Amino acid sequence: MQILMITPRIDEEHDLLGFIVTWVNKLAEKVEKLYIICMGYGKAYLRKNMEVYDLNEKSNKLTKAKYFIKLMFSILPKVDVIFCHMYPEFTLMVAPFAKIFGKPIVTWYAHRHVNWKLLIAHSLANKMITASKEGLRIQSSKVIITGHGIDIERFKPVTNLNVKEKDRIIILSVGRISPIKDYETLIKAADLLVNEEGMRNLEFIIVGGVPMKSHAKYYEKLREMVSELELENYVKFMGFVSFKNITDYYYQSDIFVNLCPTGSADKAVLEAMACGKPVIVCNETYRSLLRPYDNICMFKYKDFKDLAAKLKGLITKKYLWTEMGEHDREQVIKYHSLTHFLDLLVKIFREVSA
């Protein structure tokens, strides 16, 4: 089986999209040939049965369009399935050529928003796949839930002895600096625990860059909050961390917190769970995964007092950390592992190309 995959970027050092390199290498193990068209090509070790074409090599929209059309006529006659990853626009771009050559389209989407581009992509694709039911809010027989594809060999409980002993409990949050991440609720909870409750043995680590210029003001607002609340010694922004180095932060942490509202499953939460860390979330998508610990580790969205209470409660229940971590990892392996995802994906490819 030969596949064309259209994806945003191939770059193992990218903080948000570095996981794609692992995905494509593992997928290439299961197919005869994997062609990839991307919008950026950085550092990556790739298998020999893969060919990568970077549209960003071209200088402007016109030359990119000409290059894309050329690729369509050279690649599509050879492939069995087109796999459009993440952006509905990719499905819209490739659909006319898929029609010409009679090739099925499988589209991946995992986001809480439904817009006109997604609706059109849904009408054009043969199958739509997503990480969870909340990640593709279209009621359709085309939609298949595959899990998030977490590499459980990379994200696993630490077993080496290089993790240093520490005198603080580290509370970690990973994700780009953006209002949807609601970091102000975490900072307010830190203020309540540190300044009002006197819990001086806590450290809050926020890992994530500011990928959009429009969010720079939000980042400055967060830093001002930390300064005004005199939390500089307790809340730390680590900035951009490459995908290949992010596991170091999971290993050093004790508790992982995610503050996003209910929507698609945030990959960072599943990575922390795969590392055997207890997590605290407000996204209802995770409730079934976290049972029977959901009442301990779920708080009300934007409710910093409830978050502080859940953190304090979990900190006082250290005896549960290992048990919860083992449970979390088992859930990721069962429903969201890369092996689980790719087995389903290849099965879907075979069905739509039959």
Side-chain angles (χ1 to χ4, degrees):
M1 185 162 50
Q2 300 196 31
I3 306 296
L4 168 61
M5 179 175 178
I6 307 178
T7 193
R9 188 173 182 86
I10 299 294
D11 184 355
E12 64 186 21
E13 295 188 343
H14 196 280
D15 58 338
L16 303 178
L17 302 174
F19 73 94
I20 297 174
V21 174
T22 306
W23 270 30
V24 297
N25 275 308
K26 293 294 185 180
L27 176 58
E29 293 178 4
K30 296 177 176 289
V31 299
E32 177 187 348
K33 185 81 173 184
L34 180 59
Y35 300 91
I36 299 172
I37 297 176
C38 60
M39 309 300 150
Y41 188 13
K43 182 179 178 181
Y45 170 80
L46 301 175
R47 292 177 60 86
K48 292 181 179 179
N49 63 332
M50 300 165 64
E51 292 181 17
V52 180
Y53 301 91
D54 180 9
L55 294 184
N56 272 1
E57 288 182 355
K58 305 304 176 182
S59 58
N60 57 58
K61 290 182 179 180
L62 180 59
T63 55
K64 287 177 182 178
K66 289 181 177 179
Y67 186 41
F68 182 75
I69 292 170
K70 179 182 178 181
L71 292 173
M72 291 296 97
F73 281 91
S74 65
I75 295 174
L76 287 192
K78 307 172 188 176
V79 303
D80 301 291
V81 179
I82 303 164
F83 177 36
C84 297
H85 179 224
M86 292 184 67
Y87 300 155
E89 290 89 337
F90 295 158
T91 303
L92 275 57
M93 288 165 55
V94 78
F97 305 98
K99 186 73 173 178
I100 292 171
F101 292 100
K103 304 297 181 178
I105 300 173
V106 176
T107 296
W108 161 274
Y109 184 83
H111 200 284
R112 61 199 294 262
H113 293 299
V114 176
N115 58 25
W116 65 269
K117 292 179 183 178
L118 179 62
L119 293 172
I120 295 175
H122 169 262
S123 69
L124 296 171
N126 296 73
K127 292 292 181 181
M128 300 284 291
I129 62 175
T130 187
S132 63
K133 66 178 182 180
E134 294 84 359
L136 210 171
R137 300 184 179 196
I138 297 175
Q139 297 296 319
S140 168
S141 59
K142 288 184 178 182
V143 176
I144 300 173
I145 297 171
T146 60
H148 229 311
I150 303 299
D151 182 0
I152 59 170
E153 295 305 314
R154 177 190 291 267
F155 298 98
K156 58 185 177 182
V158 64
T159 56
N160 62 57
L161 301 177
N162 294 325
V163 176
K164 300 177 182 178
E165 291 293 325
K166 51 190 187 296
D167 56 6
R168 283 187 168 187
I169 294 170
I170 296 179
I171 297 160
L172 174 68
S173 192
V174 174
R176 69 188 186 278
I177 303 297
S178 167
I180 193 66
K181 301 299 183 182
D182 190 31
Y183 287 122
E184 53 265 55
T185 296
L186 181 61
I187 295 169
K188 291 176 183 177
D191 175 49
L192 184 57
L193 292 172
V194 173
N195 293 327
E196 295 189 29
E197 298 280 347
M199 299 176 69
R200 305 287 178 178
N201 64 332
L202 305 181
E203 187 169 332
F204 297 81
I205 303 293
I206 297 173
V207 174
V210 188
M212 298 178 64
K213 291 182 179 179
S214 59
H215 294 160
K217 289 184 178 178
Y218 175 68
Y219 177 51
E220 289 305 313
K221 173 189 171 184
L222 296 177
R223 294 186 68 88
E224 288 172 6
M225 280 183 67
V226 170
S227 177
E228 290 170 0
L229 296 171
E230 299 182 347
L231 289 170
E232 293 96 330
N233 293 328
Y234 300 93
V235 178
K236 298 179 181 179
F237 296 92
M238 308 310 295
F240 164 88
V241 173
S242 68
F243 178 73
K244 68 178 183 178
N245 293 326
I246 193 63
T247 51
D248 293 341
Y249 287 89
Y250 289 123
Y251 294 159
Q252 293 286 352
S253 69
D254 296 297
I255 298 171
F256 184 89
V257 175
N258 182 271
L259 305 110
C260 291
T262 297
S264 180
D266 194 319
K267 186 166 61 67
V269 177
L270 298 171
E271 290 170 351
M273 291 173 67
C275 289
K277 301 298 178 179
V279 301
I280 294 182
V281 300
C282 56
N283 185 341
E284 288 291 331
T285 302
Y286 298 107
R287 187 174 291 278
S288 61
L289 288 177
L290 296 174
R291 289 192 181 108
Y293 305 104
D294 52 312
N295 290 331
I296 297 173
C297 55
M298 294 200 67
F299 70 100
K300 297 175 185 176
Y301 176 54
K302 283 189 175 294
D303 188 336
F304 72 92
K305 292 182 180 179
D306 191 29
L307 172 57
K310 292 298 192 300
L311 279 167
K312 186 176 181 180
L314 191 53
I315 288 167
T316 61
K317 295 182 176 68
K318 283 189 179 182
Y319 60 89
L320 279 179
W321 291 5
T322 300
E323 180 182 317
M324 291 174 67
E326 290 174 352
H327 169 271
D328 287 353
R329 179 169 171 80
E330 288 172 3
Q331 293 293 89
V332 173
I333 291 172
K334 185 175 181 180
Y335 297 108
H336 288 279
S337 71
L338 185 56
T339 300
H340 173 80
F341 168 75
L342 290 176
D343 285 347
L344 279 175
L345 183 63
V346 171
K347 180 182 177 183
I348 293 165
F349 287 166
R350 295 192 187 284
E351 289 175 353
V352 298
S353 62

mmCIF file with all atom_site columns, all heavy atoms in Angstrom, residues 28-44:
data_model
loop_
_atom_site.group_PDB
_atom_site.id
_atom_site.type_symbol
_atom_site.label_atom_id
_atom_site.label_alt_id
_atom_site.label_comp_id
_atom_site.label_asym_id
_atom_site.label_entity_id
_atom_site.label_seq_id
_atom_site.pdbx_PDB_ins_code
_atom_site.Cartn_x
_atom_site.Cartn_y
_atom_site.Cartn_z
_atom_site.occupancy
_atom_site.B_iso_or_equiv
_atom_site.pdbx_formal_charge
_atom_site.auth_seq_id
_atom_site.auth_comp_id
_atom_site.auth_asym_id
_atom_site.auth_atom_id
_atom_site.pdbx_PDB_model_num
ATOM 1   N N   . ALA A 1 28 ? 5.398  4.477  8.162  1.00 0.00 ? 28 ALA A N   1
ATOM 2   C CA  . ALA A 1 28 ? 6.186  3.969  7.031  1.00 0.00 ? 28 ALA A CA  1
ATOM 3   C C   . ALA A 1 28 ? 6.569  2.506  7.211  1.00 0.00 ? 28 ALA A C   1
ATOM 4   O O   . ALA A 1 28 ? 6.795  1.795  6.229  1.00 0.00 ? 28 ALA A O   1
ATOM 5   C CB  . ALA A 1 28 ? 7.435  4.824  6.840  1.00 0.00 ? 28 ALA A CB  1
ATOM 6   N N   . GLU A 1 29 ? 6.635  2.046  8.466  1.00 0.00 ? 29 GLU A N   1
ATOM 7   C CA  . GLU A 1 29 ? 6.929  0.634  8.725  1.00 0.00 ? 29 GLU A CA  1
ATOM 8   C C   . GLU A 1 29 ? 5.785  -0.273 8.272  1.00 0.00 ? 29 GLU A C   1
ATOM 9   O O   . GLU A 1 29 ? 5.993  -1.470 8.028  1.00 0.00 ? 29 GLU A O   1
ATOM 10  C CB  . GLU A 1 29 ? 7.169  0.405  10.218 1.00 0.00 ? 29 GLU A CB  1
ATOM 11  C CG  . GLU A 1 29 ? 8.430  1.057  10.766 1.00 0.00 ? 29 GLU A CG  1
ATOM 12  C CD  . GLU A 1 29 ? 8.585  0.842  12.265 1.00 0.00 ? 29 GLU A CD  1
ATOM 13  O OE1 . GLU A 1 29 ? 7.742  0.123  12.850 1.00 0.00 ? 29 GLU A OE1 1
ATOM 14  O OE2 . GLU A 1 29 ? 9.529  1.394  12.855 1.00 0.00 ? 29 GLU A OE2 1
ATOM 15  N N   . LYS A 1 30 ? 4.590  0.303  8.143  1.00 0.00 ? 30 LYS A N   1
ATOM 16  C CA  . LYS A 1 30 ? 3.399  -0.494 7.853  1.00 0.00 ? 30 LYS A CA  1
ATOM 17  C C   . LYS A 1 30 ? 2.933  -0.395 6.408  1.00 0.00 ? 30 LYS A C   1
ATOM 18  O O   . LYS A 1 30 ? 1.956  -1.041 6.032  1.00 0.00 ? 30 LYS A O   1
ATOM 19  C CB  . LYS A 1 30 ? 2.257  -0.067 8.790  1.00 0.00 ? 30 LYS A CB  1
ATOM 20  C CG  . LYS A 1 30 ? 2.534  -0.337 10.271 1.00 0.00 ? 30 LYS A CG  1
ATOM 21  C CD  . LYS A 1 30 ? 1.401  0.170  11.140 1.00 0.00 ? 30 LYS A CD  1
ATOM 22  C CE  . LYS A 1 30 ? 1.632  -0.189 12.600 1.00 0.00 ? 30 LYS A CE  1
ATOM 23  N NZ  . LYS A 1 30 ? 1.465  -1.649 12.853 1.00 0.00 ? 30 LYS A NZ  1
ATOM 24  N N   . VAL A 1 31 ? 3.599  0.448  5.591  1.00 0.00 ? 31 VAL A N   1
ATOM 25  C CA  . VAL A 1 31 ? 3.192  0.624  4.201  1.00 0.00 ? 31 VAL A CA  1
ATOM 26  C C   . VAL A 1 31 ? 4.405  0.455  3.288  1.00 0.00 ? 31 VAL A C   1
ATOM 27  O O   . VAL A 1 31 ? 5.565  0.517  3.724  1.00 0.00 ? 31 VAL A O   1
ATOM 28  C CB  . VAL A 1 31 ? 2.540  2.001  3.967  1.00 0.00 ? 31 VAL A CB  1
ATOM 29  C CG1 . VAL A 1 31 ? 1.296  2.151  4.827  1.00 0.00 ? 31 VAL A CG1 1
ATOM 30  C CG2 . VAL A 1 31 ? 3.528  3.138  4.224  1.00 0.00 ? 31 VAL A CG2 1
ATOM 31  N N   . GLU A 1 32 ? 4.126  0.240  2.025  1.00 0.00 ? 32 GLU A N   1
ATOM 32  C CA  . GLU A 1 32 ? 5.208  0.067  1.043  1.00 0.00 ? 32 GLU A CA  1
ATOM 33  C C   . GLU A 1 32 ? 5.935  1.383  0.784  1.00 0.00 ? 32 GLU A C   1
ATOM 34  O O   . GLU A 1 32 ? 7.166  1.429  0.716  1.00 0.00 ? 32 GLU A O   1
ATOM 35  C CB  . GLU A 1 32 ? 4.612  -0.473 -0.260 1.00 0.00 ? 32 GLU A CB  1
ATOM 36  C CG  . GLU A 1 32 ? 5.617  -0.639 -1.389 1.00 0.00 ? 32 GLU A CG  1
ATOM 37  C CD  . GLU A 1 32 ? 4.959  -1.003 -2.708 1.00 0.00 ? 32 GLU A CD  1
ATOM 38  O OE1 . GLU A 1 32 ? 3.754  -1.343 -2.719 1.00 0.00 ? 32 GLU A OE1 1
ATOM 39  O OE2 . GLU A 1 32 ? 5.655  -0.925 -3.741 1.00 0.00 ? 32 GLU A OE2 1
ATOM 40  N N   . LYS A 1 33 ? 5.168  2.462  0.640  1.00 0.00 ? 33 LYS A N   1
ATOM 41  C CA  . LYS A 1 33 ? 5.750  3.771  0.318  1.00 0.00 ? 33 LYS A CA  1
ATOM 42  C C   . LYS A 1 33 ? 4.908  4.860  0.954  1.00 0.00 ? 33 LYS A C   1
ATOM 43  O O   . LYS A 1 33 ? 3.679  4.791  0.963  1.00 0.00 ? 33 LYS A O   1
ATOM 44  C CB  . LYS A 1 33 ? 5.778  3.963  -1.205 1.00 0.00 ? 33 LYS A CB  1
ATOM 45  C CG  . LYS A 1 33 ? 6.470  5.227  -1.669 1.00 0.00 ? 33 LYS A CG  1
ATOM 46  C CD  . LYS A 1 33 ? 7.974  5.073  -1.687 1.00 0.00 ? 33 LYS A CD  1
ATOM 47  C CE  . LYS A 1 33 ? 8.654  6.283  -2.303 1.00 0.00 ? 33 LYS A CE  1
ATOM 48  N NZ  . LYS A 1 33 ? 10.113 6.099  -2.416 1.00 0.00 ? 33 LYS A NZ  1
ATOM 49  N N   . LEU A 1 34 ? 5.596  5.878  1.518  1.00 0.00 ? 34 LEU A N   1
ATOM 50  C CA  . LEU A 1 34 ? 4.901  7.006  2.122  1.00 0.00 ? 34 LEU A CA  1
ATOM 51  C C   . LEU A 1 34 ? 5.442  8.297  1.511  1.00 0.00 ? 34 LEU A C   1
ATOM 52  O O   . LEU A 1 34 ? 6.612  8.643  1.673  1.00 0.00 ? 34 LEU A O   1
ATOM 53  C CB  . LEU A 1 34 ? 5.099  7.025  3.638  1.00 0.00 ? 34 LEU A CB  1
ATOM 54  C CG  . LEU A 1 34 ? 4.432  8.161  4.412  1.00 0.00 ? 34 LEU A CG  1
ATOM 55  C CD1 . LEU A 1 34 ? 2.912  8.149  4.208  1.00 0.00 ? 34 LEU A CD1 1
ATOM 56  C CD2 . LEU A 1 34 ? 4.757  8.092  5.902  1.00 0.00 ? 34 LEU A CD2 1
ATOM 57  N N   . TYR A 1 35 ? 4.576  8.975  0.774  1.00 0.00 ? 35 TYR A N   1
ATOM 58  C CA  . TYR A 1 35 ? 4.901  10.297 0.233  1.00 0.00 ? 35 TYR A CA  1
ATOM 59  C C   . TYR A 1 35 ? 4.355  11.338 1.202  1.00 0.00 ? 35 TYR A C   1
ATOM 60  O O   . TYR A 1 35 ? 3.234  11.195 1.714  1.00 0.00 ? 35 TYR A O   1
ATOM 61  C CB  . TYR A 1 35 ? 4.266  10.503 -1.138 1.00 0.00 ? 35 TYR A CB  1
ATOM 62  C CG  . TYR A 1 35 ? 4.704  9.522  -2.193 1.00 0.00 ? 35 TYR A CG  1
ATOM 63  C CD1 . TYR A 1 35 ? 4.000  8.329  -2.408 1.00 0.00 ? 35 TYR A CD1 1
ATOM 64  C CD2 . TYR A 1 35 ? 5.811  9.779  -2.995 1.00 0.00 ? 35 TYR A CD2 1
ATOM 65  C CE1 . TYR A 1 35 ? 4.384  7.422  -3.381 1.00 0.00 ? 35 TYR A CE1 1
ATOM 66  C CE2 . TYR A 1 35 ? 6.213  8.877  -3.979 1.00 0.00 ? 35 TYR A CE2 1
ATOM 67  C CZ  . TYR A 1 35 ? 5.496  7.709  -4.162 1.00 0.00 ? 35 TYR A CZ  1
ATOM 68  O OH  . TYR A 1 35 ? 5.888  6.810  -5.127 1.00 0.00 ? 35 TYR A OH  1
ATOM 69  N N   . ILE A 1 36 ? 5.121  12.392 1.436  1.00 0.00 ? 36 ILE A N   1
ATOM 70  C CA  . ILE A 1 36 ? 4.691  13.433 2.366  1.00 0.00 ? 36 ILE A CA  1
ATOM 71  C C   . ILE A 1 36 ? 4.823  14.799 1.699  1.00 0.00 ? 36 ILE A C   1
ATOM 72  O O   . ILE A 1 36 ? 5.885  15.131 1.157  1.00 0.00 ? 36 ILE A O   1
ATOM 73  C CB  . ILE A 1 36 ? 5.523  13.418 3.665  1.00 0.00 ? 36 ILE A CB  1
ATOM 74  C CG1 . ILE A 1 36 ? 5.366  12.087 4.395  1.00 0.00 ? 36 ILE A CG1 1
ATOM 75  C CG2 . ILE A 1 36 ? 5.117  14.579 4.575  1.00 0.00 ? 36 ILE A CG2 1
ATOM 76  C CD1 . ILE A 1 36 ? 6.301  11.923 5.572  1.00 0.00 ? 36 ILE A CD1 1
ATOM 77  N N   . ILE A 1 37 ? 3.756  15.568 1.767  1.00 0.00 ? 37 ILE A N   1
ATOM 78  C CA  . ILE A 1 37 ? 3.795  16.983 1.385  1.00 0.00 ? 37 ILE A CA  1
ATOM 79  C C   . ILE A 1 37 ? 3.594  17.784 2.658  1.00 0.00 ? 37 ILE A C   1
ATOM 80  O O   . ILE A 1 37 ? 2.638  17.549 3.402  1.00 0.00 ? 37 ILE A O   1
ATOM 81  C CB  . ILE A 1 37 ? 2.703  17.318 0.353  1.00 0.00 ? 37 ILE A CB  1
ATOM 82  C CG1 . ILE A 1 37 ? 2.939  16.547 -0.946 1.00 0.00 ? 37 ILE A CG1 1
ATOM 83  C CG2 . ILE A 1 37 ? 2.679  18.829 0.072  1.00 0.00 ? 37 ILE A CG2 1
ATOM 84  C CD1 . ILE A 1 37 ? 1.847  16.747 -1.987 1.00 0.00 ? 37 ILE A CD1 1
ATOM 85  N N   . CYS A 1 38 ? 4.507  18.710 2.927  1.00 0.00 ? 38 CYS A N   1
ATOM 86  C CA  . CYS A 1 38 ? 4.428  19.479 4.164  1.00 0.00 ? 38 CYS A CA  1
ATOM 87  C C   . CYS A 1 38 ? 4.634  20.973 3.893  1.00 0.00 ? 38 CYS A C   1
ATOM 88  O O   . CYS A 1 38 ? 4.991  21.375 2.778  1.00 0.00 ? 38 CYS A O   1
ATOM 89  C CB  . CYS A 1 38 ? 5.453  18.978 5.182  1.00 0.00 ? 38 CYS A CB  1
ATOM 90  S SG  . CYS A 1 38 ? 7.162  19.082 4.630  1.00 0.00 ? 38 CYS A SG  1
ATOM 91  N N   . MET A 1 39 ? 4.399  21.763 4.928  1.00 0.00 ? 39 MET A N   1
ATOM 92  C CA  . MET A 1 39 ? 4.542  23.217 4.839  1.00 0.00 ? 39 MET A CA  1
ATOM 93  C C   . MET A 1 39 ? 5.805  23.698 5.549  1.00 0.00 ? 39 MET A C   1
ATOM 94  O O   . MET A 1 39 ? 5.933  24.868 5.880  1.00 0.00 ? 39 MET A O   1
ATOM 95  C CB  . MET A 1 39 ? 3.318  23.904 5.468  1.00 0.00 ? 39 MET A CB  1
ATOM 96  C CG  . MET A 1 39 ? 1.995  23.395 4.951  1.00 0.00 ? 39 MET A CG  1
ATOM 97  S SD  . MET A 1 39 ? 1.793  23.619 3.183  1.00 0.00 ? 39 MET A SD  1
ATOM 98  C CE  . MET A 1 39 ? 0.740  22.232 2.780  1.00 0.00 ? 39 MET A CE  1
ATOM 99  N N   . GLY A 1 40 ? 6.731  22.783 5.814  1.00 0.00 ? 40 GLY A N   1
ATOM 100 C CA  . GLY A 1 40 ? 7.981  23.115 6.473  1.00 0.00 ? 40 GLY A CA  1
ATOM 101 C C   . GLY A 1 40 ? 8.739  21.841 6.777  1.00 0.00 ? 40 GLY A C   1
ATOM 102 O O   . GLY A 1 40 ? 8.162  20.861 7.247  1.00 0.00 ? 40 GLY A O   1
ATOM 103 N N   . TYR A 1 41 ? 10.031 21.834 6.469  1.00 0.00 ? 41 TYR A N   1
ATOM 104 C CA  . TYR A 1 41 ? 10.837 20.627 6.641  1.00 0.00 ? 41 TYR A CA  1
ATOM 105 C C   . TYR A 1 41 ? 12.106 21.005 7.387  1.00 0.00 ? 41 TYR A C   1
ATOM 106 O O   . TYR A 1 41 ? 12.961 21.717 6.873  1.00 0.00 ? 41 TYR A O   1
ATOM 107 C CB  . TYR A 1 41 ? 11.165 20.035 5.266  1.00 0.00 ? 41 TYR A CB  1
ATOM 108 C CG  . TYR A 1 41 ? 11.829 18.673 5.271  1.00 0.00 ? 41 TYR A CG  1
ATOM 109 C CD1 . TYR A 1 41 ? 11.880 17.888 6.422  1.00 0.00 ? 41 TYR A CD1 1
ATOM 110 C CD2 . TYR A 1 41 ? 12.389 18.169 4.105  1.00 0.00 ? 41 TYR A CD2 1
ATOM 111 C CE1 . TYR A 1 41 ? 12.485 16.645 6.408  1.00 0.00 ? 41 TYR A CE1 1
ATOM 112 C CE2 . TYR A 1 41 ? 13.002 16.917 4.075  1.00 0.00 ? 41 TYR A CE2 1
ATOM 113 C CZ  . TYR A 1 41 ? 13.043 16.156 5.228  1.00 0.00 ? 41 TYR A CZ  1
ATOM 114 O OH  . TYR A 1 41 ? 13.644 14.915 5.213  1.00 0.00 ? 41 TYR A OH  1
ATOM 115 N N   . GLY A 1 42 ? 12.214 20.535 8.638  1.00 0.00 ? 42 GLY A N   1
ATOM 116 C CA  . GLY A 1 42 ? 13.378 20.825 9.453  1.00 0.00 ? 42 GLY A CA  1
ATOM 117 C C   . GLY A 1 42 ? 14.228 19.594 9.656  1.00 0.00 ? 42 GLY A C   1
ATOM 118 O O   . GLY A 1 42 ? 14.412 18.788 8.730  1.00 0.00 ? 42 GLY A O   1
ATOM 119 N N   . LYS A 1 43 ? 14.711 19.414 10.867 1.00 0.00 ? 43 LYS A N   1
ATOM 120 C CA  . LYS A 1 43 ? 15.577 18.277 11.184 1.00 0.00 ? 43 LYS A CA  1
ATOM 121 C C   . LYS A 1 43 ? 14.726 17.033 11.433 1.00 0.00 ? 43 LYS A C   1
ATOM 122 O O   . LYS A 1 43 ? 13.792 17.064 12.224 1.00 0.00 ? 43 LYS A O   1
ATOM 123 C CB  . LYS A 1 43 ? 16.415 18.590 12.421 1.00 0.00 ? 43 LYS A CB  1
ATOM 124 C CG  . LYS A 1 43 ? 17.390 17.494 12.801 1.00 0.00 ? 43 LYS A CG  1
ATOM 125 C CD  . LYS A 1 43 ? 18.201 17.893 14.034 1.00 0.00 ? 43 LYS A CD  1
ATOM 126 C CE  . LYS A 1 43 ? 19.152 16.775 14.441 1.00 0.00 ? 43 LYS A CE  1
ATOM 127 N NZ  . LYS A 1 43 ? 19.934 17.122 15.660 1.00 0.00 ? 43 LYS A NZ  1
ATOM 128 N N   . ALA A 1 44 ? 15.082 15.938 10.756 1.00 0.00 ? 44 ALA A N   1
ATOM 129 C CA  . ALA A 1 44 ? 14.322 14.707 10.954 1.00 0.00 ? 44 ALA A CA  1
ATOM 130 C C   . ALA A 1 44 ? 15.064 13.525 10.357 1.00 0.00 ? 44 ALA A C   1
ATOM 131 O O   . ALA A 1 44 ? 15.590 13.611 9.239  1.00 0.00 ? 44 ALA A O   1
ATOM 132 C CB  . ALA A 1 44 ? 12.942 14.818 10.318 1.00 0.00 ? 44 ALA A CB  1
#
